[in-house]
Amino acid sequence: MTFPTPPLLSWSALILSTSPVIMANVSKMEFPILRLPILAIFNVFSMMNPFEIINFSTSSSKCRKIVKFYFRPGCKYELQLHIMNGTAISFLGARNIWEYEFTSEEKEDNILKHHESNGTKVEKLMKYSANIAESLFNLLKRLDDLMNFKNIEFFLFEMGRYPLQNDLIIQEIKNFKKPIEHFEIFSDEDAGNDIIDMLNHVNGIKSLDLTASFNKDFELSCPPNLSWLYIHDSKWINLTKLLELNSSEIQIRDHELTDMDLCAFFQSWISSESHSKLEKIEIHSVERETFENISQTLPHEEDDYSVVLKVNRLKTREVQLESFYIKRNDGTWATIYLVQNRRPDGLTLGMLVG
Ligand SMILES: *[C@@H]1O[C@H](CO)[C@@H](O)[C@H](O)[C@H]1NC(C)=O
Ligand SMILES: *[C@@H]1O[C@H](CO)[C@@H](O)[C@H](O)[C@H]1NC(C)=O
Ligand SMILES: *[C@@H]1O[C@H](CO)[C@@H](O)[C@H](O)[C@H]1NC(C)=O
Ligand SMILES: *[C@@H]1O[C@H](CO)[C@@H](O)[C@H](O)[C@H]1NC(C)=O
Ligand SMILES: *[C@@H]1O[C@H](CO)[C@@H](O)[C@H](O)[C@H]1NC(C)=O
Ligand SMILES: *[C@@H]1O[C@H](CO)[C@@H](O)[C@H](O)[C@H]1NC(C)=O
Ligand SMILES: *[C@@H]1O[C@H](CO)[C@@H](O)[C@H](O)[C@H]1NC(C)=O
Ligand SMILES: *[C@@H]1O[C@H](CO)[C@@H](O)[C@H](O)[C@H]1NC(C)=O
């Protein structure tokens, strides 16, 4: 694969139309950008999109050095990686997305596509590759060398997309070393060991979304400082493992916890034995009877109207059916509630702290 070279606006047109500072001393005929002071060049870069900057960097080794210097404090674009149907590296700006999307159709190579989605302009440059997983990481590494990414803001990994390449992908992710803030993993197969391997080597995960199947022995040690954890298939979670999930917000679905397990969980919270940082937990697809059982078992607190509880600001797409208040032994309030949501599995049991 050759280095991506998307179309670039004509340099002089770009500069003359957008930069009064540079206009002052740039001849309309010739455009000696490399003779500009570095800050003026950076000023030009700040008005270019990432495709244009990357293209500029390929003109010469000097151009490349200048671009690297420009990005030395860190890349200002948000970096996203998708390994799915539509495997891509994307840069997010305020209202734009620039994306390299890989294709196995050779005739699509270097085609630039535009579309608009929900007010965001998407500019997509297609890149042909016979080995998409490998090309993706080769491009990522070259772009990182040039643009100095702070992290991967969002990474979606469908492990069934290139199953024969998963070892390579996982190795590349581990080698990449930069934090991944929002990590979503999908797998139809039991991928427990691979997922643990990745979680042990990736830093800075703030949000983790696991839509994968696991066997009953699976044990998840949550990354530190996790603020969001979603587990789609939670059949492997028993009380011990539930008490060890460490995240400010937890969502579980398809679980096999008993009413007694759930009561024990809430009781452990009430006595400050676990989940001191928990702000919200939602357990999807419960029976109404489970809520009744929990409600009968746990001590209720009288509604205190002087406390404005966060539960009053729950999302409106959910219909709150029932709720009651509990209090932790340090005086912290929480609301336990049952909501009807639009999903087919209907009822969700939740606890919202504060
Ligand atoms: C990259 O930029 C150059 C000008 O520096 C331009 O001539 C060329 O067309 C651009 N590349 C592509 C693929 O458009
Ligand atoms: C261009 O003009 C700016 C201010 O107008 C000046 O600081 C800069 O040195 C000039 N650059 C060149 C290459 O003459
Ligand atoms: C991939 O997505 C395209 C539309 O973007 C769709 O036509 C195609 O069927 C999808 N392929 C698979 C294997 O899901
Ligand atoms: C569209 O954008 C608005 C505001 O940015 C956002 O709240 C909404 O969720 C978006 N809708 C979709 C379908 O992405
Ligand atoms: C939960 O499962 C683990 C094995 O995965 C086991 O060690 C632990 O004792 C179980 N806890 C309960 C409460 O059953
Ligand atoms: C949860 O994570 C925090 C750091 O983010 C740590 O201080 C705390 O000990 C962890 N709790 C458990 C039960 O692992
Ligand atoms: C967790 O967050 C705290 C405070 O935000 C920070 O001081 C600490 O370094 C973080 N730990 C890790 C492992 O990121
Ligand atoms: C609720 O508790 C009763 C009695 O403890 C039990 O028989 C019933 O199965 C429980 N309901 C559910 C949904 O587990």
Side-chain angles (χ1 to χ4, degrees), residues 163-217:
L164 300 178
Q165 307 291 316
N166 276 349
D167 287 348
L168 172 119
I169 293 170
I170 290 164
Q171 197 53 50
E172 293 285 4
I173 290 166
K174 286 159 63 178
N175 291 346
F176 194 62
K177 295 275 195 292
K178 306 240 167 153
I180 297 177
E181 297 227 342
H182 302 272
F183 197 178
E184 293 193 5
I185 303 175
F186 294 80
S187 172
D188 294 330
E189 311 284 323
D190 175 4
N193 291 337
D194 284 341
I195 289 174
I196 288 172
D197 190 27
M198 286 188 279
L199 296 182
N200 283 340
H201 289 88
V202 173
N203 296 318
I205 301 175
K206 289 197 186 130
S207 133
L208 178 63
D209 193 307
L210 297 175
T211 301
S213 56
F214 301 103
N215 70 43
K216 294 256 176 188
D217 297 330

Side-chain angles (χ1 to χ4, degrees), residues 13-207:
L14 177 80
I15 305 309
L16 294 175
S17 64
T18 52
S19 172
V21 178
I22 299 168
M23 254 177 80
N25 51 19
V26 164
S27 126
K28 283 185 193 197
M29 309 306 292
E30 291 279 87
F31 181 61
I33 183 167
L34 293 176
R35 273 187 261 133
L36 288 177
I38 196 78
L39 287 181
I41 298 178
F42 285 4
N43 190 30
V44 175
F45 286 166
S46 71
M47 290 175 287
M48 292 164 72
N49 74 41
F51 282 168
E52 292 163 348
I53 301 177
I54 293 163
N55 184 15
F56 173 75
S57 77
T58 61
S59 322
S60 70
S61 65
K62 181 161 189 207
C63 291
R64 185 177 167 77
K65 276 192 196 124
I66 294 172
V67 171
K68 279 187 79 156
F69 191 54
Y70 174 67
F71 283 117
R72 208 170 50 169
C75 184
K76 69 186 163 115
Y77 301 106
E78 196 178 302
L79 174 70
Q80 298 203 348
L81 218 58
H82 291 83
I83 296 181
M84 54 183 271
N85 186 12
T87 292
I89 297 176
S90 318
F91 303 105
L92 271 66
R95 275 181 296 279
N96 297 75
I97 298 176
W98 297 273
E99 190 162 283
Y100 293 104
E101 181 175 319
F102 291 86
T103 173
S104 49
E105 300 286 336
E106 200 162 357
K107 62 178 190 315
E108 292 250 281
D109 195 28
N110 280 322
I111 291 179
L112 193 64
K113 297 181 177 175
H114 294 268
H115 69 271
E116 199 165 322
S117 137
N118 199 14
T120 300
K121 289 202 181 89
V122 183
E123 195 172 322
K124 198 189 268 192
L125 182 68
M126 306 303 291
K127 296 311 296 175
Y128 163 74
S129 169
N131 186 339
I132 290 180
E134 199 179 307
S135 300
L136 173 82
F137 284 99
N138 286 342
L139 177 57
L140 178 69
K141 285 182 278 189
R142 282 207 301 271
L143 291 174
D144 184 45
D145 180 56
L146 183 70
M147 301 170 85
N148 186 22
F149 301 121
K150 295 188 200 81
N151 58 29
I152 299 176
E153 177 74 23
F154 177 86
F155 177 31
L156 187 157
F157 181 15
E158 260 181 35
M159 298 186 73
R161 187 68 198 156
Y162 311 107
L164 300 178
Q165 307 291 316
N166 276 349
D167 287 348
L168 172 119
I169 293 170
I170 290 164
Q171 197 53 50
E172 293 285 4
I173 290 166
K174 286 159 63 178
N175 291 346
F176 194 62
K177 295 275 195 292
K178 306 240 167 153
I180 297 177
E181 297 227 342
H182 302 272
F183 197 178
E184 293 193 5
I185 303 175
F186 294 80
S187 172
D188 294 330
E189 311 284 323
D190 175 4
N193 291 337
D194 284 341
I195 289 174
I196 288 172
D197 190 27
M198 286 188 279
L199 296 182
N200 283 340
H201 289 88
V202 173
N203 296 318
I205 301 175
K206 289 197 186 130
S207 133

Side-chain angles (χ1 to χ4, degrees), residues 216-219 236-241 261:
K216 294 256 176 188
D217 297 330
F218 183 64
E219 298 201 19
W236 55 276
I237 297 180
N238 61 18
L239 179 59
T240 315
K241 293 172 188 176
D261 290 339

